[in-house]
Amino acid sequence: MATINFGGVDETVITRDEFPLSKAREVLKDEVIAVIGYGVQGPGQALNMRDNGFNVIVGQRKDSSSWEKAKSDGFIEGETLFPIEEAVERGTIICNLLSDAGQIAVWPTIKERLKPGKTLYFSHGFGITFKEHTNIVPPANVDVILVAPKGSGTSLRRLFLAGGGLNSSFAVFQDASGKAFEKAIAMGIGVGSGYLFETDFKKEVYSDLTGERGVLMGALAGIIEAQYQVLRERGHSPSEAFNETVEELTQSLVPLVGENGMDWMYANCSVTAQRGALDWKGKFKDATLPVLNQLYDSVASGKEAERTIQRGSTPGYRQDLEEELKEIRESELWQTGAVVRKLRSK
Ligand SMILES: NC(=O)C1=CN([C@@H]2O[C@H](COP(=O)(O)OP(=O)(O)OC[C@H]3O[C@@H](n4cnc5c(N)ncnc54)[C@H](O)[C@@H]3O)[C@@H](O)[C@H]2O)C=CC1
Ligand SMILES: CC(=O)[C@](C)(O)C(=O)O
Ligand SMILES: [Mg+2]
Ligand SMILES: [Mg+2]
């Protein structure tokens, strides 16, 4: 474990140098890792673990599109691909990678088959933290661990194939075997994490729900729509409004932030831009702080979980989501985006 100072605060971080893949293989050599659910995280984690030499099987509803996807990814029916019940029976580490709402319906099936000594693994603190809503309360004689990659399962797989790793947080909720900590880290390395940051289930889910509803997804989409609308209403063309709101953000400025921080991005823009951005930054912060506090309160009170479960448990939830995404896709803003993306020079 390395102690790393983050802006003045010491934190412990697990690196692949001190916990190499060979050690992870040794820790998990006798385990059958059952990945339950083959949506977005399922494929990323299962394929990375399989390529890393672990004993991986997949459990998925038969005759679903995800079942077919698992087959096309090389999982073989009756050997490494099973209906959920059977995969849980066979697995010693049960990776619960169903959608957070789906985990509720399947929990009785999993719980019944959690023999003493098995390990229950999550990639989100949701089910355990919001147990009043999910009823997910594991028996005391199993280890309960978490590895939450901080990004999409798609990026987890892409980075792995490119020889890198996505950072993940990890946590132990219940240590029945005395080895839960080691297992969590080994799983973290196995799924293709770069660095591993320790947290607990509650902190993981509170920060994750806030982040995705806030800056990462909700606020991002909202502020983009607002600026595009202002520019259009003031007589700017779609391409000009899009270029100044999205294209420059994704193609030029955010990559600079990722590379070397906000001040570095600022320093690579004109002094005109820097002066203006520094003057306006405070106004945007003041305007959004109350919304972000409201968001955090909604997460911490369980309201966000309740809504996620309620909306995610209705039979047509996928179609409903797709309808809403379609509305975004078909808006003038994002239709303009589709055209602008084709105009990128290689
Ligand atoms: N999407 C991502 O990249 C990330 C997801 N996570 C977490 O990983 C876990 C899995 O998330 P995703 O891969 O996004 O899930 P997902 O929404 O893609 O669903 C995974 C699978 O669950 C199955 N499923 C849903 N309801 C079911 C039910 N009632 N019975 C049987 N199967 C059912 C679906 O068929 C699908 O194959 C969640 O806890 C999520 O919060 C964590 C980090 C990133
Ligand atoms: C990709 C990720 O980490 C998210 C946004 O939290 C999620 O998909 O739940
Ligand atoms: Mg996340
Ligand atoms: Mg999330």
Side-chain angles (χ1 to χ4, degrees), residues 242-263:
F242 188 86
N243 281 331
E244 283 299 340
T245 305
V246 180
E247 194 67 359
E248 181 166 342
L249 178 77
T250 61
Q251 301 309 298
S252 169
L253 301 189
V254 159
L256 289 172
V257 177
E259 189 180 285
N260 215 8
M262 192 62 79
D263 65 303

Side-chain angles (χ1 to χ4, degrees), residues 2-237:
T3 300
I4 300 182
N5 188 285
F6 293 93
V9 180
D10 280 338
E11 295 185 43
T12 49
V13 177
I14 310 292
T15 72
R16 288 198 278 191
D17 295 336
E18 52 177 305
F19 207 104
L21 183 57
S22 54
K23 188 163 166 188
R25 283 202 191 115
E26 179 59 29
V27 171
L28 301 177
K29 69 178 187 313
D30 298 325
E31 308 280 0
V32 177
I33 303 168
V35 172
I36 310 301
Y38 208 73
V40 181
Q41 277 298 313
Q45 297 193 21
L47 294 172
N48 288 358
M49 284 194 283
R50 193 177 69 184
D51 289 352
N52 271 335
F54 295 88
N55 187 4
V56 181
I57 61 173
V58 169
Q60 176 58 36
R61 274 185 296 199
K62 224 179 154 176
D63 302 324
S64 58
S65 57
S66 300
W67 176 273
E68 293 307 317
K69 181 169 166 32
K71 275 193 355 197
S72 71
D73 285 345
F75 290 98
I76 300 164
E77 193 173 340
E79 281 180 36
T80 50
L81 174 62
F82 302 95
I84 293 177
E85 302 72 25
E86 196 174 345
V88 179
E89 291 281 353
R90 287 171 180 260
T92 57
I93 297 182
I94 314 302
C95 302
N96 197 335
L97 297 182
L98 298 163
S99 71
D100 294 301
Q103 292 183 16
I104 298 172
V106 179
W107 174 242
T109 306
I110 294 182
K111 192 178 175 187
E112 255 170 47
R113 295 167 177 83
L114 276 180
K115 300 276 153 15
K118 286 198 184 192
T119 300
L120 181 60
Y121 165 105
F122 293 91
S123 285
H124 203 4
F126 193 105
I128 293 282
T129 304
F130 298 114
K131 62 175 188 293
E132 277 80 17
H133 301 287
T134 65
N135 288 317
I136 297 180
V137 181
N141 50 20
V142 300
D143 290 347
V144 182
I145 62 176
L146 169 144
V147 174
K150 293 288 115 182
S152 167
T154 307
S155 321
L156 183 72
R157 182 64 180 156
R158 282 187 193 163
L159 274 165
F160 176 85
L161 290 173
L166 195 67
N167 289 344
S168 301
S169 44
F170 77 99
V172 172
F173 176 72
Q174 199 165 278
D175 185 4
S177 67
K179 291 188 177 146
F181 194 77
E182 195 180 55
K183 271 189 221 166
I185 296 169
M187 285 295 291
I189 300 294
V191 301
S193 307
Y195 290 83
L196 286 157
F197 298 82
E198 192 176 0
T199 185
D200 60 47
F201 278 57
K202 186 168 152 183
K203 288 223 164 67
E204 193 283 331
V205 71
Y206 282 21
S207 57
D208 193 85
L209 293 179
T210 302
E212 68 202 13
R213 280 157 179 71
V215 169
L216 300 178
M217 296 169 70
L220 179 70
I223 201 171
I224 284 173
E225 284 179 16
Q227 179 170 303
Y228 183 87
Q229 185 178 326
V230 168
L231 289 171
R232 288 290 287 134
E233 284 171 1
R234 305 294 178 119
H236 297 266
S237 67

